[in-house]
């Protein structure tokens, strides 16, 4: 009996079962390669592994207990050096006193999770050979998975001891290219934390407890209205021998922090954020076949990389002079990835890690670039960037007005961080004002926004419209101020309305205040002249000699007397992770999903919702098209949603709601239905 159970739980057996499911689901579709069948991929030459020795180690920092007191203070201290590598390692000077197994099995009441099956092979990345990861359809406890993973390791190496990292690195790349293992299982994106809540656990009490990190005073993500699983709240990653996390960059170019709780080491590869364009160029030209790219230019590869299933050996990067660095992460060590730093890696055996995202003031310029790239791809953002920028600017001004805060912000580092926030804020306010003035000259009226605690997304590019948005009688949706061409072509002419925040005057006053500081205006002008503005439409606007920055724009009140009303706009609450009985919930079709989350963070279990507008809508869960916010005519109960979202059985169904992988497309309302994926299959065919 024991022997039968052991055989049934082998990763190979699971892979074979998934292959049958995969084949069945594709019988009527185009011919695809067997997802588990290895074959020589000529573009990735692994006949020699000497290149492993050419990858230098990333910086390793060993803070004292005193230096370890505040994460953000210490990270700002090491950032000037560490950021140049894109990745670094921090050895914790304090240890957890409560074992991980005790935390997960007792404090969390017996955590159970479902794994993903990862084929151990390289893909051609052509039309008939792309990469996919699959749900296993099995549930494990932490102890069950540990036993299975350790048995597999002993079976292969006849040893339970840790093997040298250099040897394991060779083993991984040889196995993925020529080996006989079909697949491994990886438990990733598990809601929860392995940091103990015991008052006796020194690490759990510290500010390095990842459950606390996003809400610390210097954290930008503290400004989000509610938690986001995997971004503000940590997720667990439980691996086995050769389970991997593919090449990816963090959502919105955020920082990430990963703590290794227990088990075998992990090998990480990272590239500096400044080398990201070169990385994407190599992937575009030497990894992906041209036929699978959805477009030309820089975003073509970025779009597929967002799927987080692209795995290839780093020697191809070295060959094309893209810097790569390595980290060997052991228990008790943190790995930090910096904004726009692509990274990947694999496990040397059974282990448990935990990760969360974070952001500090220096992130805002890169966050603006990420926001622009998401808009170009029409991807729903994970974070309301514009809102975070404006809120942080207002808070900085409020805190700086106190004498105690002035005394704390005289260092060069703090001045630099403030500069990184002030420049994009001033740029945003100048551009928004200029466009609103131009629209006013075209006959548009200006009104104050309604008091709805939700994020309005542009119906064209999905950018969050925190400061202002435009509406007219030609469209049922709001659009942001980045679409000059669409606005000018609109036949409404004078019958347009620009809705602005009620604190718009205060925001503009703050922007003018920042402009009085040395270097701010020059930096804004430099950004615009370089074409790196997040609103590239600015230079195309016909500037009239009458215009000058922050000139008065009349705001009509109340808006009810006009034909255009903002009540037609549905808010999108980016910060509400789960539906309730009074939400609008957005579900997506079968091709709008992503798989494989990363070793740092993702939000594959997000659901998008917002407070219902009061005009004519009853408190019920409504399924509507994420692109066209027309009057919804399909409904389903919150009980049905809850049932379909439940994960208490071994059924082979997996619904992905991961924000970064969603690319809304224009469809009819009748296509806006809840879709489940059968056949135990979640794939990326972008």
């Amino acid at each position: 009996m024991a022997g039968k159970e052991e055989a049934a739980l082998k990763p190979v057996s699971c892979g074979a079962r998934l292959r049958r499911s995969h084949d069945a689901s594709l019988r009527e579709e185009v011919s695809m390669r067997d997802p588990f069948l290895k074959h020589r991929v000529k573009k990735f030459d692994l006949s020699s592994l000497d290149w492993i020795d050419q990858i230098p180690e990333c910086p390793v920092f060993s803070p004292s207990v005193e230096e370890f007191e505040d994460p953000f203070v210490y990270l700002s201290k090491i950032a000037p050096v560490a950021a140049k590598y894109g990745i670094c390692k921090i050895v914790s000077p304090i240890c957890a006193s409560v074992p991980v197994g005790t935390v997960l099995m007792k404090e969390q009441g017996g955590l159970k999770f479902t794994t993903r099956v990862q084929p151990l092979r390289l893909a051609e990345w052509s039309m008939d050979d792309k990469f996919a990861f699959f749900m296993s359809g099995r549930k494990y406890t932490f102890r069950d998975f540990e036993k299975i993973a350790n048995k597999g390791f002993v079976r292969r190496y006849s040893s339970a001891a840790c093997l040298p990292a250099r040897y394991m690195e060779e083993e991984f790349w040889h196995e993925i290219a020529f080996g006989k293992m079909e697949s491994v299982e990886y438990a990733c994106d598990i809601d929860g934390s392995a940091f103990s809540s015991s008052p006796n656990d020194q690490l759990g009490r510290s500010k390095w407890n990842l459950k606390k990190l996003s809400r610390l005073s210097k954290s930008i993500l503290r400004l989000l209205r509610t938690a986001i699983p995997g971004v503000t709240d940590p997720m667990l990653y439980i691996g086995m021998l050769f389970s991997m996390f593919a090449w990816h960059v963090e959502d919105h170019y955020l920082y990430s922090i990963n703590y290794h709780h227990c088990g075998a080491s992990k090998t990480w590869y990272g590239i500096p954020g400044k080398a990201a364009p070169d990385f994407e160029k190599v992937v575009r030209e030497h990894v992906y076949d041209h036929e699978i790219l959805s477009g030309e230019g820089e975003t073509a590869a970025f779009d597929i990389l967002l799927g987080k299933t692209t795995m290839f050996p780093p020697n191809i990067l070295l060959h094309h002079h893209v810097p790569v660095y390595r980290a060997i992460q052991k228990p008790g060590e943190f790995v930090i990835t910096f904004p726009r730093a692509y990274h990947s890696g694999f496990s040397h055996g059974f282990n448990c890690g935990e990760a969360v995202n974070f952001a500090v003031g220096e992130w805002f310029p890169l966050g603006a670039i990420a926001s622009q790239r998401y808009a170009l791809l029409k991807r729903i953002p994970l974070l309301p960037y514009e809102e975070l920028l404006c809120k942080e600017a207002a808070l900085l001004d409020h805190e700086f007005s106190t004498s105690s805060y002035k005394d704390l912000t005289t260092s060069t580092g703090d001045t630099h961080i403030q500069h990184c926030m002030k420049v994009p804020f001033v740029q945003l306010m100048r551009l928004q004002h200029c466009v609103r003035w131009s629209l006013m000259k075209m006959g548009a009226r200006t009104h104050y926004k309604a008091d709805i605690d939700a994020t309005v997304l542009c119906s064209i590019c999905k950018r969050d419209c925190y400061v202002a948005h435009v509406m007219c009688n030609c469209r049922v949706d709001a659009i942001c101020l980045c679409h000059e061409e669409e606005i000018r072509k609109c036949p409404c002419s004078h019958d347009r309305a620009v809705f602005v925040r009620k604190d718009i005057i205060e925001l503009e006053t703050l922007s003018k205040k920042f402009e009085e500081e040395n270097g701010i205006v020059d930096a804004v002008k430099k950004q615009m002249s370089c074409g790196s503005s997040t609103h590239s439409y600015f230079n195309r606007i016909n500037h009239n000699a009458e215009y000058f920055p922050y000139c008065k724009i009349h705001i009509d009140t109340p808006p009810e007397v006009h034909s255009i009303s903002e009540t037609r706009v549905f808010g999108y609450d980016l910060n509400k992770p789960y539906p309730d009985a009074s939400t609008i919930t957005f579900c997506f079709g079968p091709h709008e999903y992503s798989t494989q989350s990363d070793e740092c963070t993702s939000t594959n279990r997000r659901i998008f919702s917002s407070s219902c507008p009061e005009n004519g809508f009853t408190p019920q869960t409504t399924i509507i098209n994420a692109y066209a916010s027309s009057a919804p005519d399909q409904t389903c109960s919150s009980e049905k949603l809850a049932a379909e979202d439940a994960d208490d059985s071994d059924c082979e169904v997996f619904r992905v709601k991961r924000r970064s992988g969603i690319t809304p497309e224009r469809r009819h309302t009748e296509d806006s239905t809840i879709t489940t994926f059968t056949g135990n299959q979640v794939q990326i065919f972008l």
Side-chain angles (χ1 to χ4, degrees), residues 33 50 52 101 315 331-332 376 429 448 455 483 539 557 570 608 675:
R33 290 184 185 269
D50 293 342
I52 291 176
N315 63 334
L376 289 172
M429 298 311 300
Y448 286 116
T455 301
H483 303 289
N539 291 325
T557 54
F570 294 106
F608 319 121
T675 303

Side-chain angles (χ1 to χ4, degrees), residues 31-44:
S31 175
M32 300 290 294
R33 290 184 185 269
D34 186 325
F36 299 95
L37 182 63
K38 288 185 175 69
H39 60 279
R40 188 177 296 273
V41 182
K42 294 181 179 179
K43 65 179 69 175
F44 307 128

Side-chain angles (χ1 to χ4, degrees), residues 497-558:
V498 181
F499 290 90
V500 298
R501 289 189 55 79
K502 291 185 177 180
D503 60 352
I504 185 67
I505 303 301
E506 289 83 353
L507 290 173
E508 291 176 349
T509 301
L510 179 57
S511 182
K512 288 189 287 184
K513 181 178 178 180
F514 287 163
E515 289 186 14
E516 296 173 359
E517 300 178 17
N518 290 335
I520 297 295
V521 173
D522 290 340
V524 171
K525 290 180 178 179
K526 183 178 180 180
Q527 291 276 2
M528 293 180 178
S529 65
C530 292
S532 58
S533 167
T534 58
H535 302 282
S536 58
Y537 62 86
F538 177 74
N539 291 325
R540 301 198 304 270
I541 291 178
N542 181 21
H543 289 206
N544 190 292
E546 301 174 24
Y547 177 77
F548 60 90
Y550 310 114
C551 59
K552 184 176 181 181
I553 298 176
H554 178 70
I555 300 177
D556 294 331
T557 54

Side-chain angles (χ1 to χ4, degrees), residues 144 182 197 200 212 264 297 306 327 337 357 407 471 491 509 596 641:
D144 289 341
E182 290 185 344
S197 300
N200 299 321
K212 305 176 181 179
L306 284 175
T337 68
N357 285 122
D407 296 336
M471 292 198 68
T509 301
Q596 175 63 8
L641 279 176

